[in-house]
Amino acid sequence: MPGPAAGTAHAATTTDVVCLGESMVTFLPSQPGRLADVPSFGRGIGGAESNVACALAAAGHRAAWVGRVGADGFGDHLVETIAGYGVDTSAVRRDPVRPTGIYFRTATDRGAGAHEVAYYRAGSAASAMSPSNVPYGEVFAGRILHLSGITAALSADCLELLRELTAPRQGRPLVSFDVNHRPHLWRGGDASVLLELARRADLVFVGEDEAEEAWGIVGAEAIRAALPEPSVLVVKRGSAGATVFSGLRPGPRSSNAGGAESGPASRSTEGGGAEDAVAGTGSGDTVTVVPALHVDVVAAVGAGDAFAAGFLSATLRGLPVRDRVRHGHLMAAAVLTVPGDLTEPPARDHADRLAALDDGAWGRLRLGPGWTAADRAPEEVRTS
């Protein structure tokens, strides 16, 4: 199949992050209850990779989204809405035959037993993405290429595309991969391919719960043992926070990352407080543990994408690992305190002040609805 030419490089990179994947029109309920009982829905957008692109653009970065939508009104809405966040959508392709995917969901937490989601994405335009119809020049035009495991589950062609994009080659940008295991997408499939793709990336995000459900791997150290190749592995541990394994890895995986570092600015964690449980793993790793924030949650959707966006934003800025994780937590908190998947992030100087709090103040910090607009000095931020 056609693919990128070996040695593809972009000397004059103008894009910070390119995100490739499916985006869908989301229908959000007007009130709590079963889908059968909800009388009306509001229209929004949803898609892991486009969510990341929108959050990065809103945070001031040059972000692009590459995808495929139908030549229909829902496709128009997606492209126009995502572009409205400041995202470059010029590489989005329109499919004249297949429709844009849509889905409906209830207002409950995704992890709750009563949560319902009804997807209408089978045979969607995005599922037709393949190594033969993706614009490689635009895909490899950024400092970072962000992908997720959702794309791999859409079709055999989509899986082959991700294998192509994560293949080691001279000139590829830094590859960021969010495992994003969705069990309903893998019914009858083999989710172990997500482990294969993650091992080919430079920066990987995975939840402890995902690793256990998809691969039967339990615990951050065991996940690192199964994923030794990525320079940076971010293990998300829910309310316990996140553990980051960072260390240089040999091999021609990403020799032209365009100036974006996947590892810490130095080989040791800055901050040095009690929260940074830093220890050598015997493999040259630095291990950084950062507690999660206390958040008054409105809706537990979109937080993982927001966390990835915050971490990538801080990575582009060359911040130390602890602060990358804290910016991830802050971006996630912004989304958790609104009903939908996307929201305006905190102003950069506001987030920087919060990320610089000492360990004690960070542990006492509690964020609720409207906190992103409360641009106050750190000592004035609500604590518990």
Side-chain angles (χ1 to χ4, degrees):
M1 294 183 182
T8 298
H10 300 271
T13 297
T14 59
T15 303
D16 291 322
V17 182
V18 175
C19 302
L20 178 145
E22 180 181 36
S23 191
M24 295 182 290
V25 173
T26 309
F27 289 93
L28 307 172
S30 58
Q31 64 184 46
R34 302 182 310 153
L35 285 179
D37 300 327
V38 175
S40 60
F41 296 81
R43 185 179 62 176
I45 65 170
E49 301 85 1
S50 59
N51 286 349
V52 172
C54 289
L56 285 167
H61 297 285
R62 297 162 297 187
W65 172 58
V66 178
R68 192 174 183 88
V69 300
D72 50 35
F74 287 145
D76 293 340
H77 175 66
L78 275 177
V79 173
E80 291 166 6
T81 303
I82 293 169
Y85 280 86
V87 176
D88 180 355
T89 58
S90 61
V92 175
R93 298 296 188 255
R94 308 299 291 260
D95 192 307
V97 177
R98 299 172 182 85
T100 303
I102 64 174
Y103 73 97
F104 297 76
R105 68 171 174 83
T106 53
T108 52
D109 186 337
R110 180 175 283 157
H115 185 68
E116 296 177 74
V117 183
Y119 288 100
Y120 299 89
R121 75 198 310 177
S124 70
S127 70
M129 289 189 294
S130 75
S132 65
N133 62 20
V134 163
Y136 286 97
E138 288 90 342
V139 171
F140 285 152
R143 297 167 62 191
I144 296 174
L145 171 61
H146 181 70
L147 308 167
S148 100
I150 293 174
T151 305
L154 298 180
S155 68
D157 282 344
C158 284
L159 174 56
E160 286 308 308
L161 173 61
L162 285 203
R163 283 179 168 142
E164 185 70 46
L165 296 179
T166 57
R169 62 170 47 85
Q170 296 294 320
R172 88 174 192 186
L174 184 150
V175 173
S176 166
F177 183 74
D178 192 336
V179 170
N180 252 329
H181 176 242
R182 297 289 185 267
H184 67 275
L185 290 176
W186 290 99
R187 291 183 188 129
D190 182 7
S192 67
V193 300
L194 297 176
L195 187 62
E196 168 201 333
L197 294 170
R199 294 184 67 175
R200 295 151 69 109
D202 303 294
L203 165 60
V204 172
F205 300 93
V206 63
E208 275 190 324
D209 55 342
E210 294 178 295
E212 182 173 3
E213 186 169 23
W215 309 323
I217 300 172
V218 180
E221 293 286 348
I223 295 170
R224 183 49 159 173
L227 286 169
E229 294 87 355
S231 295
V232 175
L233 172 64
V234 183
V235 179
K236 297 176 291 182
R237 302 169 55 227
S239 60
T243 299
V244 181
F245 299 86
S246 51
L248 292 175
R249 291 292 182 268
R253 303 164 56 76
S254 178
S255 59
N256 183 44
E261 295 181 67
S262 60
S266 65
R267 287 296 129 194
S268 61
T269 304
E270 297 184 25
E275 72 169 51
D276 294 318
V278 180
T281 63
S283 61
D285 271 335
T286 295
V287 183
T288 308
V289 179
V290 182
L293 289 164
H294 301 287
V295 180
D296 297 328
V297 176
V298 172
V301 292
D305 304 329
F307 179 92
F311 192 96
L312 290 174
S313 173
T315 296
L316 286 162
R317 296 171 60 200
L319 300 184
V321 170
R322 186 206 70 171
D323 291 0
R324 297 181 195 193
V325 180
R326 284 187 168 193
H327 276 278
H329 286 321
L330 290 165
M331 196 82 85
V335 169
L336 287 169
T337 50
V338 298
D341 290 21
L342 293 166
T343 189
E344 190 71 20
R348 180 173 290 184
D349 60 347
H350 184 193
D352 282 346
R353 290 200 302 271
L354 295 182
L357 291 173
D358 63 39
D359 298 348
W362 177 264
R364 294 189 302 272
L365 191 61
R366 190 178 192 95
L367 302 175
W371 76 269
T372 58
D375 189 2
R376 299 170 291 182
E379 62 270 20
E380 297 174 317
V381 175
R382 179 185 169 200
T383 58
S384 57

